[in-house]
Amino acid sequence: MTKSSEFFAEIPQIPYEGAESSNPLAFKYYDKDQLVLGKRMEDHLRPAACYWHTFCWDGFDVFGEGTFRRPWHELEGQEMAEAKADVAFEFYSKLGIPFYCFHDVDVMAPAANMKEHVENLAAILDVLERKQDETGLKLLWGTANVFSNRRYMSGASTNPDPEVFASAATQVCHAMNATKRLGGENYVFWGGREGYETLLNTDLNREMDQLARLLTLAVEHKHKIGFKGPLLIEPKPHEPTKHQYDRDTATVFAFLQKYGLENEVKVNLETNHATLAGNPMDHEIAMAFAFGIFGSIDANRGDPQNGWDTDQFWNDPLDIVRSMYQIIKNGGFTTGGFNFDAKVRRQSIDAADLFYGHIGGLDALARGLLGAAKLIEAGDVSALVSDRYSGWDDELGKWMMGAASLSDIADKTVADGIDPKPKSGRQEFLENRFGQMA
Ligand code: XLS
Ligand code: NI
Ligand code: NI
């Protein structure tokens, strides 16, 4: 175990105490060893917490300076990176989750150029590897931040300047190597600035070809270094750019198909990004499974009154149970998991607030899992859906999906006097069933 820091000295290991507990630093529903549909809760949810919101962001917003004043933010260079790793691993361990996630720049000493970037990333890997060994924590995914540095203002791989592409490729190459070395289970691409601000200065065809080129190079590199996990694209429609090329699951799938990457790349879906794209989260999940590209989830939510990625902790029970139902019904996570890509508000400045956010988020997922499991065990929802489509398993349905031509169908319809009888879709009944579990 890592030794307790002053910052988290007041925080104990978070226990599971059950729904009746009034202890704010205890789980009420997340009991990691509880069996749900024959599988441990932890193995269903595979929870992870991220580095960036909790240990990098200092609470600044566009109108104001950082509010958190964390002790490690006062430090510099490798010393800062190591102090950050100390508190991060202490936090993950006290929370009792199995995974974490990071961007290259989250974990390392800041770098002035690409050479320093490569050196500083290498310097922190020994530390992370040692901490993983000490705590048993695993890496759900790694990624490269190719959107914050000024050089990426006009895009990373989609930049009009090939030297910027080269810089992004360098970061991706080293972030993939780092993820492989740390035993990461997936590698993520979020195209933060892979889009445009205005079409007036943009060559769309070139930009999409360049984006696909970097992905193709990453796929080749993955096989070259023997990285076993999938590469995941994280769809988002906009923010920071006006338009992002990977706007939602369906758009990503079309893009992957165009460039022949649909068997190599999957998606990391984020709740708040789905909302921004005008899609409910359960739609994104269902589409990803339908296309065979479901990978992982960034769990968070937006604010219904705000049109941006507020990254709040996901705590809408109905939304969660609907999403969880899609995940579990379709077989659940394989390499993916639920990463809390979520942050406390900038007024929540205490160490305990970081725990309240994650405890609530994990409890909400656990409740959603229990609700979805009940619906799956009851079986009435899936029976209703299969019954609705049962005609397609009969002769007429099979024939139309197979041998029949359009005119064959037209002739038969008239000759047999086919006259369909409308049936209820039962939407309110179904909504009540999900409401009961939320
Ligand atoms: C931003 C994204 C980002 C990715 C990782 O909106 O959610 O945090 O998850 O680059
Ligand atoms: Ni995310
Ligand atoms: Ni996001």
Side-chain angles (χ1 to χ4, degrees):
M1 278 305 272
T2 32
K3 62 175 175 18
S4 188
S5 67
E6 222 169 285
F7 186 69
F8 286 132
E10 304 296 305
I11 311 284
Q13 182 72 34
I14 307 300
Y16 163 72
E17 290 186 357
E20 301 311 316
S21 168
S22 57
N23 175 5
L25 289 174
F27 291 113
K28 318 295 181 297
Y29 298 93
Y30 180 65
D31 176 11
K32 65 180 176 181
D33 293 320
Q34 184 182 337
L35 290 182
V36 181
L37 300 172
K39 196 160 138 183
R40 291 171 65 248
M41 216 179 233
E42 183 184 81
D43 298 334
H44 274 289
L45 301 177
R46 296 169 56 81
C50 75
Y51 234 85
W52 52 99
H53 288 311
T54 300
F55 303 106
C56 304
W57 181 51
D58 68 357
F60 82 94
D61 71 8
V62 285
F63 298 100
E65 61 175 340
T67 51
F68 295 149
R69 307 273 161 94
R70 307 293 191 215
W72 58 95
H73 289 155
E74 312 295 317
L75 307 173
E76 283 176 9
Q78 180 70 8
E79 196 194 355
M80 180 274 293
E82 291 190 19
K84 210 199 276 184
D86 282 342
V87 285
F89 277 76
E90 183 184 350
F91 174 81
Y92 302 137
S93 302
K94 284 186 166 169
L95 194 59
I97 52 170
F99 293 106
Y100 75 114
C101 298
F102 67 78
H103 301 88
D104 48 5
V105 303
D106 299 342
V107 292
M108 56 184 254
N113 53 49
M114 291 313 300
K115 181 169 176 291
E116 251 181 62
H117 176 98
V118 172
E119 289 164 3
N120 293 359
L121 178 60
I124 199 72
L125 290 186
D126 290 340
V127 176
L128 296 178
E129 200 167 47
R130 196 183 65 237
K131 293 204 166 283
Q132 287 188 197
D133 287 347
E134 283 167 8
T135 58
L137 210 82
K138 290 176 287 183
L139 180 62
L140 186 65
W141 49 261
T143 187
N145 175 332
V146 288
F147 45 87
S148 293
N149 191 285
R150 180 168 178 263
R151 74 173 77 87
Y152 298 120
M153 69 177 188
S154 311
S157 67
T158 59
N159 203 289
D161 180 352
E163 292 197 358
V164 180
F165 183 107
S167 310
T170 306
Q171 274 191 246
V172 168
C173 177
H174 288 277
M176 286 180 74
N177 294 347
T179 304
K180 156 103 188 349
R181 176 169 157 196
L182 295 173
E185 304 211 5
N186 310 267
Y187 182 84
V188 165
F189 287 86
W190 170 60
R193 295 191 194 273
E194 307 293 43
Y196 61 79
E197 294 295 346
T198 171
L199 264 185
L200 302 180
N201 65 11
T202 302
D203 183 337
L204 267 185
N205 287 354
R206 271 186 190 274
E207 293 209 357
M208 289 194 291
D209 284 354
Q210 288 169 214
L211 180 58
R213 179 65 185 147
L214 184 63
L215 273 177
T216 305
L217 289 169
V219 167
E220 284 166 15
H221 188 67
K222 163 189 150 152
H223 293 299
K224 186 168 130 192
I225 64 176
F227 179 68
K228 295 282 175 277
L231 304 186
L232 307 177
I233 289 186
E234 185 175 318
K236 188 176 184 184
H238 48 251
E239 196 209 7
T241 56
K242 169 192 162 57
H243 175 91
Q244 248 170 249
Y245 298 127
D246 48 14
R247 79 176 313 281
D248 68 356
T249 301
T251 313
V252 166
F253 188 64
F255 179 87
L256 293 176
Q257 276 187 314
K258 173 168 156 67
Y259 293 98
L261 292 166
E262 71 275 18
N263 297 321
E264 297 283 358
V265 182
K266 296 181 169 164
V267 284
N268 179 40
L269 301 171
E270 178 164 319
T271 326
N272 205 159
H273 298 183
T275 311
L276 294 178
N279 297 321
M281 186 58 165
D282 62 342
H283 164 91
E284 285 293 88
I285 296 168
M287 288 299 260
F289 275 111
F291 291 135
I293 57 167
F294 178 80
S296 198
I297 289 189
D298 272 9
N300 61 17
R301 70 176 167 93
D303 179 302
Q305 273 74 51
N306 288 348
W308 67 89
D309 202 6
T310 58
D311 291 332
Q312 288 167 254
F313 286 89
W314 198 12
N315 58 7
D316 175 345
L318 189 55
D319 206 30
I320 296 177
V321 82
R322 288 174 58 140
S323 298
M324 203 65 78
Y325 182 77
Q326 290 298 331
I327 297 172
I328 306 302
K329 163 173 97 84
N330 284 295
F333 289 116
T334 51
T335 62
F338 278 108
N339 168 42
F340 289 104
D341 189 354
K343 63 188 184 207
V344 295
R345 300 303 89 189
R346 69 194 285 275
Q347 297 174 52
S348 303
I349 59 177
D350 294 343
D353 293 318
L354 297 173
F355 279 89
Y356 298 150
H358 287 83
I359 290 170
L362 201 38
D363 268 342
L365 292 179
R367 278 180 91 161
L369 172 65
L370 293 168
K374 272 194 209 156
L375 286 168
I376 285 166
E377 270 168 345
D380 56 332
V381 173
S382 62
L384 194 151
V385 177
S386 352
D387 183 54
R388 230 179 140 222
Y389 293 89
S390 57
W392 287 96
D393 299 327
D394 293 344
E395 208 181 318
L396 176 67
K398 283 187 175 155
W399 177 68
M400 291 196 296
M401 289 303 279
S405 71
L406 191 64
S407 58
D408 289 341
I409 297 172
D411 293 346
K412 184 177 170 60
T413 303
V414 173
D416 293 4
I418 287 179
D419 182 16
K421 306 277 172 305
K423 277 189 209 151
S424 169
R426 294 269 180 272
Q427 182 165 340
E428 295 74 16
F429 165 85
L430 291 165
E431 285 175 355
N432 294 351
R433 288 291 284 137
F434 277 77
Q436 226 183 328
M437 300 304 164

